[in-house]
Amino acid sequence: MDEHTGDRGAVMGPEPDPGELIVGRDAELARLFRAVDSVSADPVLMLVGDMGTGKSALLEHAVHRAEAGGARVLRAEGSESESSLAFSALHQLLRPVPAEVDALPGRQRAALQEALGEGAATPGPDLMLVGIAVLSLLSGLGDHHPVLVVLDDAQWLDRASLDALSFVARRLEGEPVTMLIGARGGDHLPGFDRHVPMLTLGSLDKAAADHLLDLQPKSPTGHTRSRILDQAGGNPLALLELASTASAQDTAAGLPSAGPLRLTDHLERIFAARLNSLPASTTRVLLLLAAMDSPDSAIAVSAGLPRAEDAAWLPAEQAGLVRRTGRDVRFRHPLVRSAVYHAASLAARREAHLALAEMLRDEPDRRAWHLAAACPHPDAAASAELERTAGRARRRGGHAAAAQALQRAAELAPQREDSARLLVEAAAAAVFTGDIAWVEELVAAARARTDDATLLASAAVQAGRLAVLTVRHTVVFSRLADDAEQLAVSQPAAGLDLVAGAAVVRFYSGEDTQRHRIQDVLRRLPEKASHAGLRTWVRAVSDPFDDRAQLIRLLPQLATDAEARPERLTAVGIMAWLLDETPQAVRAFDEAFDRWELQGALPEGLGGAVAWAYLERGRWDQAREACARTIAVGRAAGLDHAVACAATVDATVLAFQGDASSARARAEDALVLIDPLESRSVFVYARRALGAAAVAEGAYETAYGELRMVFTVDGAPVHYHASYPALADLAAAAVRCGRREEAVAIVERSASALADNASPRLRALISRARGLLADPDDAEPHFRAALADPVLEYWPFERAQTLLDLAEWLRRRRRIAEARAPLTQALEIFRRLGARPWIERARAESRAAGLDVTDAAPDALAELSPQQQQIIRLAARGLTNREIGEKLFLSPRTVSSHLYRSFPKLGITARSQLRDLIEGALVTAGHQE
């Protein structure tokens, strides 16, 4: 790999010789060495610090350590200009391994090549599949030798690459891959901030700073030394460069004057002063290199810059401005690049950019940015070039790059209306980055440039689409409702879009006053046939129990109208789930996903409904797959609320499967991400998951405490939709910890509130709760009512719980023969689902009823972790390790490791035995309707 030079301030001399001493960083260097020697528990480590603190120097030493140990090193270095080019860092990282990219499975290879601009034109790559492709590639490289991934100046990596690499970083546990990241302190690094351990480089202490100066060829002394120490402030690069300047001048007068200048300004002046003595030919190539600012040597050569061996570079190297290593010429530090660029006149910079644009005709995106940089005034042609660049970026999934290009195109557009249009398009692209502040900035700029009602409405819709997914529910709801009200007459379609978003916020927040506001705004909007679907959405989301029967009658026609529109099918599925029509919801989701490979760019509003529907239907593997995708996308986009929503569903599945500790961790993570008064839905889901985890461990007092929080002090539901499904579990826990009377009041209050609008599912749950809470002589009719409707088979876990409750009641009434049938049914369902705690409870009850419950083969699955169960079920369906990895967002190596550990527990030795072992139990669960 090429040598990188970034932040080398702590190295004694100009060359990154691994034998050189690094002063004052012993602990940090030891920490990096532990990481590359694979003795660290953390596969990812971020090195953060200000400019000149020595990040690149430390990374360089870590690279040499890794290479000496036989590791394969892949590197990418961020740069300001490259940050606007989608997947440029990923392209740089993977350039040395084209054969490995070609060897990836077809779907992964196609997605990765499309992201890198090398594949056939498609609507855009699946961004999650891009991440899986990179993970598979790195894991495959690790089959032969350890792999070290080094990302330097990561604050300048393009957003699309960061999203893919942060996806990979969270899945490196157990892989022979280490990722080291160098980034500026204080800079936001999407996808990495909360989940990666950080090693912070501060200033050198006085002893270390003195020692570093002592080791210089001409160590400064006296007043000069004091001034250097004072001005450098412990920054290693500043110490070296100020000492070098003082040595060259042989006087303290050569140092920058003390004063308010930032340290970076001092250093830039030092570097800029060295330009004065250089030949004109050297100054010209330095400016070209500074204007291009690409760390990729192949790009530099294609841009027509002289090769590293050219004599034009020698004076710059002797002046300490550049470093030549092999085929590469690099600035010694980003501040050198900045000094070279800003020391040139505006005319010279414009000439450099035009020259580069001419040289880069085969690189249209880079060419467009250079043309833009050469424009001192609005320019329609340059604006159009950038608009085309944005189109290419969007097709490759580079939404941040597209938004940046469109924003700059708007600045260059001569006409205000064109500028406003481009800004709205930029906002639409920026929505997919999750950066709400950026979207709002773009929307505000568009509003300042136009009075066009259509554009303004579009701008409001774009801002609202992302705002819905943030945690600021109260503020966002007010803004969406206000904007919808203003647009009700002039732009009713846009107004209805905003109300639809407001309804989603109402669901998340659970605030009842918002329902009344939605109804008021909806009445002001004219009713049109074309708006029927969206109006139904608003009604179903904001109040699914208001005239539920009429809403259900509308679903079949909405599903028919949506047949060719997967995104509309998904909306129909969400509405069906809200109305407790889970079978119809799952059918809609299945059909939508058959027609539409999700792009994963942004979680849609109420996307958690997909996972909940699969969970309720008994398809727990698919529920967890949906959660994994939403969590991955939400984290990459910085959308904490989307992550929290998915985490609560995942926590619930884990609790049902018996992994109580993991369930608690997921639920508590979700609670940390939200304000319970702003996000009542997530609060309730998290408490339900924590209650289920406690039940799984037999801690019924704890379970009751968690589930009691799903209802207010006076027994009303905390959330108008999410609280009701907890009624039966609340009753079950109450009976076991002596809270029967309080639970009765809550159940009856909810039953009265729902009245005739309760779904068959909720009626069954209320009947089960009443059976549990009733006097023993009065319980049977309630249990029978809870099982009476055949449609309840579509909620298998809830049905099995009721069957078990009935069987326990029958056995305690000494009706043992009658208890055996429901016990057998319940045990079969629990086994099929992999609900380990309930399997054990049903087996114990079955033995007490005289049933032979010798462990069947599928029961061995209960000894596996939930993730291992998922992998086993998919392997039993014939999926390869790579295919399983794509579904579960794991590397093939991780899948293989889980299978290896699972086979002995299952009593098998070959993959071919899986299907026979669990056919009729696990496979049936995966396909049951």
Side-chain angles (χ1 to χ4, degrees), residues 44 126-136 138 159-173 179 190-192 195-196 600 625 628-637 885-891:
V44 184
D126 182 332
L127 300 183
M128 295 299 99
L129 199 54
V130 172
I132 284 292
V134 178
L135 180 61
S136 296
L138 295 176
R159 179 60 185 270
S161 295
L162 274 177
D163 288 348
L165 292 168
S166 64
F167 175 94
V168 171
R170 285 188 292 273
R171 289 161 177 81
L172 290 180
E173 186 175 354
M179 185 180 291
F192 287 96
H195 311 282
V196 175
E625 289 172 28
R629 176 178 287 273
T630 300
I631 289 171
V633 174
R635 280 181 175 165
E886 285 184 12
K887 278 188 166 292
L888 302 183
F889 307 106
L890 302 170
S891 74

Side-chain angles (χ1 to χ4, degrees), residues 223-224 227-228 231 241-243 245-246 249 251-257 270:
H223 181 57
T224 299
R227 288 194 61 193
I228 290 172
Q231 291 189 24
E241 297 303 331
L242 291 171
T245 298
Q249 300 288 334
T251 172
L255 294 176
S257 60
I270 291 172

Side-chain angles (χ1 to χ4, degrees), residues 25-38:
R25 303 293 193 203
D26 293 349
E28 292 89 344
L29 194 58
R31 177 71 181 84
L32 289 173
F33 283 177
R34 287 199 301 274
V36 300
D37 291 343
S38 300

